[in-house]
Amino acid sequence: MQGFPERGGPGPGPGPNDLAHLQATMHAIELACASIQMHINPAAAEATILSLCQSPQPYKACQFILENSQVPDARFQAAAAIRDAAIREWGFLTADDRRSLLSFCLSFVMQHASSKEGFVLAKVSSVAAQLMKRGWLDTTAVEKEAFFNQVNQAVLGIHGLDVQFTGVNFLESLVSEFSPSTSSAMGLPREFHEQCRRSLEIDYLKMFYCWARDAALSVTNRIVESKSEVPEVKVCNAALRLMLQILNWDFHLNNNSTKTSINVFSAGARLDIDSSKRSECTLVQPGPAWRDVLISSGHIGWLVNLYAALRQKFSREGYWLDCPIAVSARKLIVQFCSLTGTIFLSDNGQMHEHHLLQLLSGIIEWIDPPEAVAKAIGCGKSESEMLDGCRALLSIANVTTPFVFDQLLMSIRPFGTLTLLSTLMCEVVKVLMSTYPEEETWSWEARDILLDTWTALLVPLDSTGGNAMLPPEGINAAGNLFALIVESELKAAASSALTDDVEGDYLQSSISAMDERLSSYALIARAAIHVAIPLLTRLFSERFARLNQGRGIIDPTETLEEVYSLLLIAGHVLADEGEGETPLVPYAIQTYFTNNIGADEHPVIVLSSSIIGFAEQCLDPKMRASVFSPRLLEAVIWFFARWSRTYLMNPEEVRETHSQDHQLQSQQLRKGLHSFFREHNQGKLVLDIIVRVSVTTLLSYPGEKDLQAITCYQLLHALVREKHICVHLVSLDSWRNLANAFANEKSLFLLDLAHQRSLAQTLVHSASGLINSEASNQYVRGLMGHMATYLGELSSKNDLKSVAQQPDIILLVSCVLERLRGVASASEPRTQKAIYELGFSVMNPILVLLEVYKHELFICYLNSLLPG
């Protein structure tokens, strides 16, 4: 082929003797490939192939196989062997040998471009890319230019469509190889890969993009004008894929991109994408050097118009939406929505706004009107275009502020983008409600993408933690959406009570598994907090009343599942998790409920009091038996743990707020909301209820490990973290009853061993609330004194060896050892004396027991964990 050198490899051509050897090698590899395919002695076949890869300088044999074998798998293995040997022997190959190998691979794929064995061509193309990278730093600029001139001729279509397609695919392999996230291992330092990446980004990446764009431009007219599918389609699709791959590049040379740009777009863009999000969204930040290619050239308009033209042309062909060219074009459009940073002029966001509006003008047809789109999907239309439209909204949300996001659509529609987002998600939620509890459908994926879009808009956008404010239309949209979300969750909850398919019901998953979705719901609720909290209060009160009215008459299962769901939603709306810190009252609650609202009317107090009153009902044995299942109590305990860290007995001193501007609002909040749950108001009463409910879960629900775990690890630990709460804890009869049961009764020995340790730690921590060190030490002695005595008496028994093997004694000893571990881990200065005394008193009994239980590995393990 003109423009490409003849294929050849290291060393002279084969002689007559060599030819026989090469044919024998080819036959052996072909036979090995056939054996693997037919599962005949695969180990021997794999050894044959491996011997080719590991043999010194197998290049002639591999080239012979590639050029002469009629078995595609054999040619594939030959290409792989060239790669392995060349990378292994690179340092021993001459410069001519290296160039010859690369030339052979590239010439092979170009001269076989029309072959139907695509996987063989892809492998050889990948080998060529790896060889190109391996010698990249040693190749001169002139040599690279000569090589890429040949590739460019192929990409421009000079040698026909097949070669054009192959040339674009080779560039795709090359870019993939130079990208750190997709590069092949070569046994070289990281610095080598970084130098290659940097060099390609500076000198060639933009050029490759232009070649791909020109390749697509050269064939699009033929595609649009033809009345049937034409060969040009595969070239266009490959070019679009290459452009998408280049835009996915992790650009480093962009002058810090959005970090130094100050305008309404870049200032509001999220510079880090939360790795916990359900949907992937990568910001594209190539820098100002790319402005002429991506922004100023009209490239975006061409791409959007191309997809629109093809969409219109094939509008009656439902299958077209999932064709490769349609998928690639949409992915590229969605990726352009993530373009941000200094590629745009510092013109107060006007260039960026025009860019996004161009894209949104095309994307809007994929998702609007939402009702018609959802109906069409229900009638059999592919959902792929609609899902890509949702992804585009997510990408735009990640590079704009809520205000700009909303304004974008108003120039072409009578409503804002937030209204569209809300309406679209409402339709998705309706579909979810109508299809539940079927297997996961497109609506599940759409819901997750749209939730991530709301999250991107509503999460705190600055280091002070202030939430983004929505425009009035957006607030109304969020309020309507949250109401429908709650309705759908309640419907799903009620339906779950009637189905036996527990494994397929997402509501049966753990609270932690649902946390991500519920956190997104909470953000939407807080955007319309004046609607959300009264709604939750009304719904919870209705369910509570329904339980009381129908007790013993109506099956409460559906209502209880609804209450469970409402508890989780309310907990997320009212409070944040905190992640080890004491969480503040959510910003939306601080800023909206700032007037001097009476305690009886404050929405947060009303909702909190309703839930606390409901939880208190579990103290009644009859209510506990008929209403409070372990699962429901898990939600109650979880709510108490989350809520108490934010609202219960907050200290009197002024807490830090999101900015100085909100100090007055925060003071008003403390006068109303915080003061209601302080010790001089209802705080101590609420604390007592929480403790009594906790004791109930530990004593009245034997064997419920999940419930008891959340009680010990989340709720009780949260209560003893704050010393000012411990002061009131130790004064409560309910807490003293818990401590007494722990010290003197056997009922709590039924708890899981890990829970024993946690409970011991919690009770010792609470001693920090006593008046002085002596009182704290006496408290610890009272907790553990009986257990120390028990160990001493047991170890001194004459028939210890026989008694110690009884199952109940083994369990009791294990529990005591776990409690000792918990006590030791809670040591602090004011309780050290009592803990040291305890350790000294049990040292000899433990040594005796260790000798007795030397064959009981678990008890020996517990002993080893006790502090020395």
Side-chain angles (χ1 to χ4, degrees), residues 265-266 268-269 283 337-340 352 356 395-401:
F265 287 90
S266 61
L283 299 187
C337 293
S338 297
L339 200 61
T340 186
H352 198 175
L356 291 175
S395 297
I396 295 172
N398 274 289
V399 298
T400 62
T401 64

Side-chain angles (χ1 to χ4, degrees), residues 459-678:
V459 290
L461 294 180
D462 55 56
S463 58
T464 59
N467 275 47
M469 291 292 98
L470 297 185
E473 182 182 326
I475 293 175
N476 292 334
N480 294 334
L481 173 60
F482 181 71
L484 186 62
I485 285 173
V486 174
E487 179 186 346
S488 72
E489 289 293 319
L490 294 183
K491 181 178 179 180
S495 299
S496 72
L498 304 177
T499 179
D500 294 329
D501 185 17
V502 176
E503 292 183 359
D505 182 6
Y506 75 95
L507 281 172
Q508 298 292 339
S509 57
S510 67
I511 294 173
S512 60
M514 294 188 288
D515 185 74
E516 187 178 10
R517 185 177 80 252
L518 295 172
S519 295
S520 296
Y521 291 168
L523 287 171
I524 297 171
R526 292 174 189 176
I529 197 70
H530 63 294
V531 173
I533 291 185
L535 172 67
L536 291 173
T537 303
R538 176 175 63 79
L539 293 173
F540 192 87
S541 299
E542 289 173 358
R543 270 66 184 174
F544 192 6
R546 190 185 304 168
L547 286 173
N548 284 327
Q549 294 169 2
R551 195 173 2 156
I553 304 173
I554 303 174
D555 182 3
T557 308
E558 289 185 34
T559 305
L560 293 176
E561 285 296 334
E562 292 177 335
V563 170
Y564 177 90
S565 185
L566 285 171
L567 284 169
L568 300 188
I569 295 173
H572 279 85
V573 173
L574 291 178
D576 291 318
E577 194 277 330
E579 297 181 356
E581 303 294 333
T582 301
L584 298 173
V585 173
Y587 182 70
I589 294 176
Q590 286 195 43
T591 54
Y592 190 85
F593 301 117
T594 56
N595 297 326
N596 292 323
I597 306 174
D600 294 339
E601 301 175 358
H602 196 294
V604 175
I605 294 176
V606 173
L607 176 57
S608 301
S609 299
S610 298
I611 294 174
I612 292 167
F614 168 75
E616 190 178 12
Q617 299 295 309
C618 79
L619 302 176
D620 180 353
K622 293 183 179 179
M623 283 291 290
R624 191 161 63 241
S626 61
V627 171
F628 288 90
S629 65
R631 173 174 155 78
L632 180 59
L633 261 182
E634 281 182 37
V636 169
I637 296 297
W638 173 88
F639 176 87
F640 277 158
R642 191 180 184 101
W643 176 89
S644 62
R645 286 194 291 264
T646 300
Y647 296 99
L648 183 60
M649 291 187 179
N650 278 308
E652 295 289 344
E653 63 268 14
V654 176
R655 305 174 70 191
E656 293 292 330
T657 55
H658 300 87
S659 72
Q660 294 297 325
D661 296 336
H662 301 118
Q663 286 290 339
L664 179 59
Q665 295 173 341
S666 181
Q667 290 172 4
Q668 292 174 336
L669 180 72
R670 282 192 295 277
K671 290 179 182 178
L673 178 58
H674 278 323
S675 63
F676 186 79
F677 293 110
R678 285 214 177 101

